Amino acid sequence: MKSFFIACFAAILLQGCASIFNGSTQTFAINTTPSDARITITNRAGKQVYAGRSPGSVTLARGRGYFKSEVYKVRIEKEYCETTEIYLTPRVSGWFFANFAMFGGFWGMLIIDPLTGAMYTLLPEQIDEKLPPWGGDQSAAEGRLNIVLLEDVPPALMQSAKRLN
């Protein structure tokens, strides 16, 4: 019984509060209107870390090294809609400061949480994006006529275009 308490005490000393409550990764729900949009996520270095379709979810690392947070660019593309980019940016988690008052103390604040990236929270915590129709306004979605230059028409839309005489 004594060894059990020693093991528990050692485990507590070797953890940081943010590591316990946040973890080193964060899961995001991705929803778009309209659905079935192509989602591409790249990290700070420009490396693609996720590709998929909405709706869905993705789990991303909070940090990229000792006291280094990660930043992600989420690119959302859908035919006949404007391309949207959202940045997932880090903020220091409140759980990181709980190291002063709770278990982690020195080990959690200066070693465990900064090393695992658990000291950060990526914002926004979920992506729920309404994609504007191509052209920048609602007129195409409402059935009104849009007049644009021929070179500004996307190739996918041009394939379904009909010539008026």
Side-chain angles (χ1 to χ4, degrees):
M1 187 70 159
K2 183 178 178 182
S3 61
F4 173 75
F5 287 118
I6 292 172
C8 288
F9 184 70
I12 289 171
L13 286 179
L14 296 176
Q15 290 292 317
C17 284
S19 295
I20 294 169
F21 294 104
N22 272 355
S24 60
T25 60
Q26 186 172 339
T27 302
F28 296 87
I30 303 173
N31 296 300
T32 62
T33 304
S35 62
D36 199 38
R38 184 174 50 215
I39 309 295
T40 307
I41 301 177
T42 54
N43 65 10
R44 183 187 305 255
K47 180 182 174 192
Q48 182 175 310
V49 295
Y50 176 81
R53 296 232 171 237
S54 66
S57 67
V58 61
T59 301
L60 301 171
R62 296 175 190 267
R64 62 180 184 94
Y66 187 66
F67 273 107
K68 293 181 184 171
S69 61
E70 188 58 275
V71 174
Y72 296 96
K73 179 171 72 172
V74 180
R75 185 176 175 92
I76 305 170
E77 298 173 287
K78 175 81 174 166
E79 190 174 53
Y80 310 122
C81 293
E82 295 282 339
T83 297
T84 302
E85 290 183 351
I86 299 168
Y87 287 87
L88 301 176
T89 56
R91 297 290 183 269
V92 175
S93 169
W95 288 114
F96 175 68
F97 297 107
N99 282 308
F100 284 124
M102 295 179 79
F103 319 121
F106 171 80
W107 297 108
M109 193 130 202
L110 295 178
I111 298 173
I112 307 299
D113 291 347
L115 192 60
T116 63
M119 68 182 284
Y120 300 107
T121 296
L122 297 169
L123 299 174
E125 292 184 355
Q126 76 172 21
I127 299 168
D128 196 6
E129 193 68 21
K130 184 174 181 183
L131 303 174
W134 180 79
D137 62 18
Q138 292 293 327
S139 61
E142 295 169 358
R144 292 187 291 192
L145 177 65
N146 276 343
I147 299 174
V148 295
L149 296 174
L150 192 58
E151 59 262 15
D152 291 340
V153 178
L157 185 59
M158 201 58 201
Q159 290 175 358
S160 64
K162 295 179 184 173
R163 185 172 187 84
L164 298 175
N165 291 327

